[in-house]
PDB file of all heavy atoms in Angstrom:
ATOM      1  N   ALA A 163      -2.778   1.520   9.936  1.00  0.00           N
ATOM      2  CA  ALA A 163      -2.593   1.591   8.471  1.00  0.00           C
ATOM      3  C   ALA A 163      -3.806   2.261   7.736  1.00  0.00           C
ATOM      4  O   ALA A 163      -4.879   2.150   8.230  1.00  0.00           O
ATOM      5  CB  ALA A 163      -2.377   0.298   7.981  1.00  0.00           C
ATOM      6  N   PRO A 164      -3.666   2.913   6.665  1.00  0.00           N
ATOM      7  CA  PRO A 164      -4.868   3.294   5.821  1.00  0.00           C
ATOM      8  C   PRO A 164      -5.733   2.110   5.521  1.00  0.00           C
ATOM      9  O   PRO A 164      -5.144   0.971   5.326  1.00  0.00           O
ATOM     10  CB  PRO A 164      -4.178   3.961   4.512  1.00  0.00           C
ATOM     11  CG  PRO A 164      -2.772   4.125   4.904  1.00  0.00           C
ATOM     12  CD  PRO A 164      -2.426   3.201   5.981  1.00  0.00           C
ATOM     13  N   PRO A 165      -6.997   2.305   5.393  1.00  0.00           N
ATOM     14  CA  PRO A 165      -7.989   1.182   5.249  1.00  0.00           C
ATOM     15  C   PRO A 165      -7.679   0.484   3.927  1.00  0.00           C
ATOM     16  O   PRO A 165      -8.120  -0.704   3.769  1.00  0.00           O
ATOM     17  CB  PRO A 165      -9.308   1.741   5.308  1.00  0.00           C
ATOM     18  CG  PRO A 165      -9.124   3.163   5.041  1.00  0.00           C
ATOM     19  CD  PRO A 165      -7.663   3.505   5.531  1.00  0.00           C
ATOM     20  N   PHE A 166      -7.113   1.102   2.938  1.00  0.00           N
ATOM     21  CA  PHE A 166      -7.042   0.451   1.509  1.00  0.00           C
ATOM     22  C   PHE A 166      -5.499   0.014   1.268  1.00  0.00           C
ATOM     23  O   PHE A 166      -5.234  -0.378   0.305  1.00  0.00           O
ATOM     24  CB  PHE A 166      -7.439   1.584   0.446  1.00  0.00           C
ATOM     25  CG  PHE A 166      -6.841   2.841   0.664  1.00  0.00           C
ATOM     26  CD1 PHE A 166      -5.549   3.053   0.038  1.00  0.00           C
ATOM     27  CD2 PHE A 166      -7.490   3.792   1.347  1.00  0.00           C
ATOM     28  CE1 PHE A 166      -4.977   4.339   0.054  1.00  0.00           C
ATOM     29  CE2 PHE A 166      -6.868   5.074   1.357  1.00  0.00           C
ATOM     30  CZ  PHE A 166      -5.588   5.334   0.812  1.00  0.00           C
ATOM     31  N   CYS A 167      -4.606   0.183   2.115  1.00  0.00           N
ATOM     32  CA  CYS A 167      -3.220  -0.159   1.924  1.00  0.00           C
ATOM     33  C   CYS A 167      -2.554  -0.945   3.088  1.00  0.00           C
ATOM     34  O   CYS A 167      -2.435  -0.332   4.221  1.00  0.00           O
ATOM     35  CB  CYS A 167      -2.421   1.124   1.561  1.00  0.00           C
ATOM     36  SG  CYS A 167      -0.755   0.716   1.305  1.00  0.00           S
ATOM     37  N   TRP A 168      -2.345  -2.179   2.901  1.00  0.00           N
ATOM     38  CA  TRP A 168      -1.605  -2.909   3.985  1.00  0.00           C
ATOM     39  C   TRP A 168      -0.560  -3.835   3.199  1.00  0.00           C
ATOM     40  O   TRP A 168      -0.704  -4.935   2.872  1.00  0.00           O
ATOM     41  CB  TRP A 168      -2.494  -3.804   4.772  1.00  0.00           C
ATOM     42  CG  TRP A 168      -1.749  -4.341   5.885  1.00  0.00           C
ATOM     43  CD1 TRP A 168      -1.135  -5.544   5.906  1.00  0.00           C
ATOM     44  CD2 TRP A 168      -1.605  -3.815   7.240  1.00  0.00           C
ATOM     45  NE1 TRP A 168      -0.565  -5.827   7.144  1.00  0.00           N
ATOM     46  CE2 TRP A 168      -0.846  -4.739   7.959  1.00  0.00           C
ATOM     47  CE3 TRP A 168      -1.988  -2.550   7.716  1.00  0.00           C
ATOM     48  CZ2 TRP A 168      -0.411  -4.553   9.294  1.00  0.00           C
ATOM     49  CZ3 TRP A 168      -1.532  -2.380   9.059  1.00  0.00           C
ATOM     50  CH2 TRP A 168      -0.827  -3.368   9.870  1.00  0.00           C
ATOM     51  N   PRO A 169       0.560  -3.118   2.743  1.00  0.00           N
ATOM     52  CA  PRO A 169       1.591  -3.858   1.920  1.00  0.00           C
ATOM     53  C   PRO A 169       2.296  -4.989   2.693  1.00  0.00           C
ATOM     54  O   PRO A 169       2.483  -4.921   3.852  1.00  0.00           O
ATOM     55  CB  PRO A 169       2.466  -2.834   1.523  1.00  0.00           C
ATOM     56  CG  PRO A 169       2.427  -1.687   2.455  1.00  0.00           C
ATOM     57  CD  PRO A 169       0.884  -1.874   2.978  1.00  0.00           C
ATOM     58  N   SER A 170       2.657  -5.984   1.956  1.00  0.00           N
ATOM     59  CA  SER A 170       3.403  -7.122   2.512  1.00  0.00           C
ATOM     60  C   SER A 170       4.698  -7.244   1.777  1.00  0.00           C
ATOM     61  O   SER A 170       4.832  -6.996   0.678  1.00  0.00           O
ATOM     62  CB  SER A 170       2.470  -8.393   2.206  1.00  0.00           C
ATOM     63  OG  SER A 170       3.249  -9.536   2.335  1.00  0.00           O
ATOM     64  N   PRO A 171       5.787  -7.779   2.480  1.00  0.00           N
ATOM     65  CA  PRO A 171       7.090  -8.000   1.815  1.00  0.00           C
ATOM     66  C   PRO A 171       6.906  -8.855   0.644  1.00  0.00           C
ATOM     67  O   PRO A 171       7.747  -8.781  -0.289  1.00  0.00           O
ATOM     68  CB  PRO A 171       7.951  -8.560   2.884  1.00  0.00           C
ATOM     69  CG  PRO A 171       7.308  -8.386   4.220  1.00  0.00           C
ATOM     70  CD  PRO A 171       5.808  -8.093   3.854  1.00  0.00           C
ATOM     71  N   ARG A 172       5.936  -9.818   0.583  1.00  0.00           N
ATOM     72  CA  ARG A 172       5.848 -10.828  -0.364  1.00  0.00           C
ATOM     73  C   ARG A 172       4.944 -10.427  -1.469  1.00  0.00           C
ATOM     74  O   ARG A 172       5.078 -10.927  -2.701  1.00  0.00           O
ATOM     75  CB  ARG A 172       5.391 -12.156   0.141  1.00  0.00           C
ATOM     76  CG  ARG A 172       6.370 -12.765   1.052  1.00  0.00           C
ATOM     77  CD  ARG A 172       5.775 -14.094   1.560  1.00  0.00           C
ATOM     78  NE  ARG A 172       6.264 -14.231   2.889  1.00  0.00           N
ATOM     79  CZ  ARG A 172       5.497 -14.513   3.977  1.00  0.00           C
ATOM     80  NH1 ARG A 172       4.348 -14.763   3.825  1.00  0.00           N
ATOM     81  NH2 ARG A 172       5.964 -14.407   5.228  1.00  0.00           N
ATOM     82  N   ARG A 173       3.905  -9.541  -1.282  1.00  0.00           N
ATOM     83  CA  ARG A 173       2.904  -9.117  -2.394  1.00  0.00           C
ATOM     84  C   ARG A 173       2.972  -7.729  -2.416  1.00  0.00           C
ATOM     85  O   ARG A 173       3.229  -6.866  -1.590  1.00  0.00           O
ATOM     86  CB  ARG A 173       1.569  -9.579  -1.926  1.00  0.00           C
ATOM     87  CG  ARG A 173       1.368 -11.194  -2.066  1.00  0.00           C
ATOM     88  CD  ARG A 173      -0.043 -11.428  -1.744  1.00  0.00           C
ATOM     89  NE  ARG A 173      -0.134 -11.815  -0.282  1.00  0.00           N
ATOM     90  CZ  ARG A 173      -1.193 -12.006   0.377  1.00  0.00           C
ATOM     91  NH1 ARG A 173      -2.261 -11.892  -0.209  1.00  0.00           N
ATOM     92  NH2 ARG A 173      -1.121 -12.299   1.739  1.00  0.00           N
ATOM     93  N   ARG A 174       2.537  -7.281  -3.677  1.00  0.00           N
ATOM     94  CA  ARG A 174       2.383  -5.875  -3.929  1.00  0.00           C
ATOM     95  C   ARG A 174       0.983  -5.467  -3.453  1.00  0.00           C
ATOM     96  O   ARG A 174       0.002  -6.155  -3.565  1.00  0.00           O
ATOM     97  CB  ARG A 174       2.431  -5.556  -5.392  1.00  0.00           C
ATOM     98  CG  ARG A 174       3.910  -5.720  -5.898  1.00  0.00           C
ATOM     99  CD  ARG A 174       4.121  -5.295  -7.274  1.00  0.00           C
ATOM    100  NE  ARG A 174       4.329  -3.785  -7.424  1.00  0.00           N
ATOM    101  CZ  ARG A 174       5.412  -3.224  -7.119  1.00  0.00           C
ATOM    102  NH1 ARG A 174       6.443  -3.928  -6.872  1.00  0.00           N
ATOM    103  NH2 ARG A 174       5.471  -1.936  -7.277  1.00  0.00           N
ATOM    104  N   CYS A 175       0.848  -4.326  -2.829  1.00  0.00           N
ATOM    105  CA  CYS A 175      -0.405  -3.818  -2.435  1.00  0.00           C
ATOM    106  C   CYS A 175      -1.202  -3.314  -3.698  1.00  0.00           C
ATOM    107  O   CYS A 175      -0.724  -2.574  -4.543  1.00  0.00           O
ATOM    108  CB  CYS A 175      -0.263  -2.541  -1.494  1.00  0.00           C
ATOM    109  SG  CYS A 175      -1.712  -1.657  -1.003  1.00  0.00           S
ATOM    110  N   SER A 176      -2.592  -3.652  -3.694  1.00  0.00           N
ATOM    111  CA  SER A 176      -3.384  -3.435  -4.780  1.00  0.00           C
ATOM    112  C   SER A 176      -3.684  -1.917  -4.740  1.00  0.00           C
ATOM    113  O   SER A 176      -4.032  -1.304  -5.830  1.00  0.00           O
ATOM    114  CB  SER A 176      -4.606  -4.223  -4.729  1.00  0.00           C
ATOM    115  OG  SER A 176      -5.274  -4.056  -3.610  1.00  0.00           O
ATOM    116  N   GLY A 177      -3.708  -1.257  -3.596  1.00  0.00           N
ATOM    117  CA  GLY A 177      -4.068   0.131  -3.437  1.00  0.00           C
ATOM    118  C   GLY A 177      -3.015   1.060  -3.944  1.00  0.00           C
ATOM    119  O   GLY A 177      -3.279   2.091  -4.616  1.00  0.00           O
ATOM    120  N   CYS A 178      -1.756   0.881  -3.535  1.00  0.00           N
ATOM    121  CA  CYS A 178      -0.623   1.729  -3.844  1.00  0.00           C
ATOM    122  C   CYS A 178       0.457   1.233  -4.556  1.00  0.00           C
ATOM    123  O   CYS A 178       1.322   1.976  -5.173  1.00  0.00           O
ATOM    124  CB  CYS A 178      -0.290   2.353  -2.598  1.00  0.00           C
ATOM    125  SG  CYS A 178       0.660   1.272  -1.508  1.00  0.00           S
ATOM    126  N   GLY A 179       0.518  -0.125  -4.700  1.00  0.00           N
ATOM    127  CA  GLY A 179       1.700  -0.759  -5.346  1.00  0.00           C
ATOM    128  C   GLY A 179       2.931  -0.833  -4.552  1.00  0.00           C
ATOM    129  O   GLY A 179       3.918  -1.391  -4.987  1.00  0.00           O
ATOM    130  N   GLY A 180       2.891  -0.472  -3.299  1.00  0.00           N
ATOM    131  CA  GLY A 180       4.103  -0.585  -2.371  1.00  0.00           C
ATOM    132  C   GLY A 180       4.458  -2.000  -2.036  1.00  0.00           C
ATOM    133  O   GLY A 180       3.491  -2.813  -1.964  1.00  0.00           O
ATOM    134  N   THR A 181       5.706  -2.241  -1.752  1.00  0.00           N
ATOM    135  CA  THR A 181       6.031  -3.547  -1.355  1.00  0.00           C
ATOM    136  C   THR A 181       6.655  -3.554   0.054  1.00  0.00           C
ATOM    137  O   THR A 181       6.903  -4.639   0.637  1.00  0.00           O
ATOM    138  CB  THR A 181       7.025  -4.299  -2.298  1.00  0.00           C
ATOM    139  OG1 THR A 181       8.150  -3.441  -2.437  1.00  0.00           O
ATOM    140  CG2 THR A 181       6.304  -4.483  -3.688  1.00  0.00           C
ATOM    141  N   SER A 182       7.046  -2.453   0.642  1.00  0.00           N
ATOM    142  CA  SER A 182       7.702  -2.476   1.830  1.00  0.00           C
ATOM    143  C   SER A 182       6.804  -1.930   2.977  1.00  0.00           C
ATOM    144  O   SER A 182       6.121  -0.944   2.791  1.00  0.00           O
ATOM    145  CB  SER A 182       8.904  -1.436   1.751  1.00  0.00           C
ATOM    146  OG  SER A 182       9.403  -1.207   2.952  1.00  0.00           O
ATOM    147  N   MET A 183       6.914  -2.542   4.111  1.00  0.00           N
ATOM    148  CA  MET A 183       6.099  -2.254   5.225  1.00  0.00           C
ATOM    149  C   MET A 183       6.685  -0.889   5.852  1.00  0.00           C
ATOM    150  O   MET A 183       5.975  -0.264   6.616  1.00  0.00           O
ATOM    151  CB  MET A 183       5.930  -3.190   6.275  1.00  0.00           C
ATOM    152  CG  MET A 183       5.161  -4.448   5.676  1.00  0.00           C
ATOM    153  SD  MET A 183       4.066  -5.289   6.734  1.00  0.00           S
ATOM    154  CE  MET A 183       3.355  -4.387   7.860  1.00  0.00           C
ATOM    155  N   ALA A 184       7.933  -0.629   5.591  1.00  0.00           N
ATOM    156  CA  ALA A 184       8.591   0.516   6.240  1.00  0.00           C
ATOM    157  C   ALA A 184       8.123   1.792   5.551  1.00  0.00           C
ATOM    158  O   ALA A 184       8.027   2.820   6.253  1.00  0.00           O
ATOM    159  CB  ALA A 184      10.125   0.369   6.167  1.00  0.00           C
ATOM    160  N   GLU A 185       7.935   1.838   4.228  1.00  0.00           N
ATOM    161  CA  GLU A 185       7.594   3.045   3.562  1.00  0.00           C
ATOM    162  C   GLU A 185       6.617   2.831   2.411  1.00  0.00           C
ATOM    163  O   GLU A 185       7.016   2.816   1.286  1.00  0.00           O
ATOM    164  CB  GLU A 185       8.874   3.708   3.042  1.00  0.00           C
ATOM    165  CG  GLU A 185       8.820   5.254   3.153  1.00  0.00           C
ATOM    166  CD  GLU A 185      10.206   5.873   2.826  1.00  0.00           C
ATOM    167  OE1 GLU A 185      10.991   5.515   3.367  1.00  0.00           O
ATOM    168  OE2 GLU A 185      10.148   6.644   1.824  1.00  0.00           O
ATOM    169  N   PRO A 186       5.267   2.767   2.572  1.00  0.00           N
ATOM    170  CA  PRO A 186       4.443   2.554   1.516  1.00  0.00           C
ATOM    171  C   PRO A 186       4.177   3.931   0.842  1.00  0.00           C
ATOM    172  O   PRO A 186       4.288   4.966   1.415  1.00  0.00           O
ATOM    173  CB  PRO A 186       3.070   2.107   2.212  1.00  0.00           C
ATOM    174  CG  PRO A 186       3.204   2.673   3.567  1.00  0.00           C
ATOM    175  CD  PRO A 186       4.648   2.664   3.781  1.00  0.00           C
ATOM    176  N   THR A 187       3.894   3.736  -0.486  1.00  0.00           N
ATOM    177  CA  THR A 187       3.586   5.063  -1.182  1.00  0.00           C
ATOM    178  C   THR A 187       2.080   4.987  -1.641  1.00  0.00           C
ATOM    179  O   THR A 187       1.571   3.974  -1.893  1.00  0.00           O
ATOM    180  CB  THR A 187       4.382   5.067  -2.531  1.00  0.00           C
ATOM    181  OG1 THR A 187       4.135   3.836  -3.150  1.00  0.00           O
ATOM    182  CG2 THR A 187       5.920   5.200  -2.177  1.00  0.00           C
ATOM    183  N   LEU A 188       1.401   6.100  -1.574  1.00  0.00           N
ATOM    184  CA  LEU A 188       0.030   6.103  -1.811  1.00  0.00           C
ATOM    185  C   LEU A 188      -0.217   6.889  -3.123  1.00  0.00           C
ATOM    186  O   LEU A 188       0.458   7.936  -3.302  1.00  0.00           O
ATOM    187  CB  LEU A 188      -0.743   6.897  -0.605  1.00  0.00           C
ATOM    188  CG  LEU A 188      -0.686   6.155   0.677  1.00  0.00           C
ATOM    189  CD1 LEU A 188      -1.285   7.068   1.688  1.00  0.00           C
ATOM    190  CD2 LEU A 188      -1.181   4.785   0.608  1.00  0.00           C
ATOM    191  N   LYS A 189      -1.135   6.356  -3.945  1.00  0.00           N
ATOM    192  CA  LYS A 189      -1.437   7.117  -5.093  1.00  0.00           C
ATOM    193  C   LYS A 189      -2.452   8.198  -4.776  1.00  0.00           C
ATOM    194  O   LYS A 189      -3.294   8.008  -3.994  1.00  0.00           O
ATOM    195  CB  LYS A 189      -2.108   6.117  -6.137  1.00  0.00           C
ATOM    196  CG  LYS A 189      -1.177   5.139  -6.712  1.00  0.00           C
ATOM    197  CD  LYS A 189      -1.929   4.359  -7.646  1.00  0.00           C
ATOM    198  CE  LYS A 189      -1.048   3.320  -8.265  1.00  0.00           C
ATOM    199  NZ  LYS A 189      -1.731   2.442  -9.242  1.00  0.00           N
ATOM    200  N   ALA A 190      -2.201   9.347  -5.336  1.00  0.00           N
ATOM    201  CA  ALA A 190      -3.127  10.569  -5.011  1.00  0.00           C
ATOM    202  C   ALA A 190      -4.483  10.272  -5.540  1.00  0.00           C
ATOM    203  O   ALA A 190      -5.500  10.701  -4.882  1.00  0.00           O
ATOM    204  CB  ALA A 190      -2.524  11.756  -5.612  1.00  0.00           C
ATOM    205  N   ALA A 191      -4.634   9.565  -6.689  1.00  0.00           N
ATOM    206  CA  ALA A 191      -5.921   9.357  -7.186  1.00  0.00           C
ATOM    207  C   ALA A 191      -6.754   8.446  -6.218  1.00  0.00           C
ATOM    208  O   ALA A 191      -7.985   8.680  -6.010  1.00  0.00           O
ATOM    209  CB  ALA A 191      -5.840   8.618  -8.544  1.00  0.00           C
ATOM    210  N   SER A 192      -6.203   7.437  -5.638  1.00  0.00           N
ATOM    211  CA  SER A 192      -6.903   6.515  -4.754  1.00  0.00           C
ATOM    212  C   SER A 192      -7.366   7.170  -3.486  1.00  0.00           C
ATOM    213  O   SER A 192      -8.391   6.956  -2.934  1.00  0.00           O
ATOM    214  CB  SER A 192      -6.038   5.259  -4.409  1.00  0.00           C
ATOM    215  OG  SER A 192      -4.913   5.633  -3.642  1.00  0.00           O
ATOM    216  N   VAL A 193      -6.495   8.092  -2.988  1.00  0.00           N
ATOM    217  CA  VAL A 193      -6.964   8.937  -1.809  1.00  0.00           C
ATOM    218  C   VAL A 193      -7.994   9.902  -2.030  1.00  0.00           C
ATOM    219  O   VAL A 193      -8.956  10.032  -1.419  1.00  0.00           O
ATOM    220  CB  VAL A 193      -5.654   9.721  -1.186  1.00  0.00           C
ATOM    221  CG1 VAL A 193      -6.063  10.682  -0.185  1.00  0.00           C
ATOM    222  CG2 VAL A 193      -4.618   8.741  -0.771  1.00  0.00           C
ATOM    223  N   ALA A 194      -7.909  10.520  -3.312  1.00  0.00           N
ATOM    224  CA  ALA A 194      -9.122  11.539  -3.686  1.00  0.00           C
ATOM    225  C   ALA A 194     -10.417  10.780  -3.882  1.00  0.00           C
ATOM    226  O   ALA A 194     -11.368  11.276  -3.498  1.00  0.00           O
ATOM    227  CB  ALA A 194      -8.612  12.192  -5.084  1.00  0.00           C
ATOM    228  N   THR A 195     -10.341   9.585  -4.537  1.00  0.00           N
ATOM    229  CA  THR A 195     -11.573   8.935  -4.759  1.00  0.00           C
ATOM    230  C   THR A 195     -12.166   8.329  -3.469  1.00  0.00           C
ATOM    231  O   THR A 195     -13.392   8.226  -3.266  1.00  0.00           O
ATOM    232  CB  THR A 195     -11.464   7.696  -5.833  1.00  0.00           C
ATOM    233  OG1 THR A 195     -10.433   6.784  -5.286  1.00  0.00           O
ATOM    234  CG2 THR A 195     -11.081   8.287  -7.126  1.00  0.00           C
TER     235      THR A 195
END
């Protein structure tokens, strides 16, 4: 997994906002920074 995103079915990921372990979405700004 990316070091800043490990989404859980119960919690939203603080890095990307994703909730599914099957298909997380990454914000372009967080990757660029």
Side-chain angles (χ1 to χ4, degrees):
F166 53 86
C167 178
W168 189 269
S170 158
R172 290 181 223 131
R173 285 186 268 176
R174 292 187 82 79
C175 174
S176 61
C178 70
T181 58
S182 169
M183 296 219 29
E185 211 170 310
T187 58
L188 301 177
K189 290 182 180 176
S192 65
V193 173
T195 56

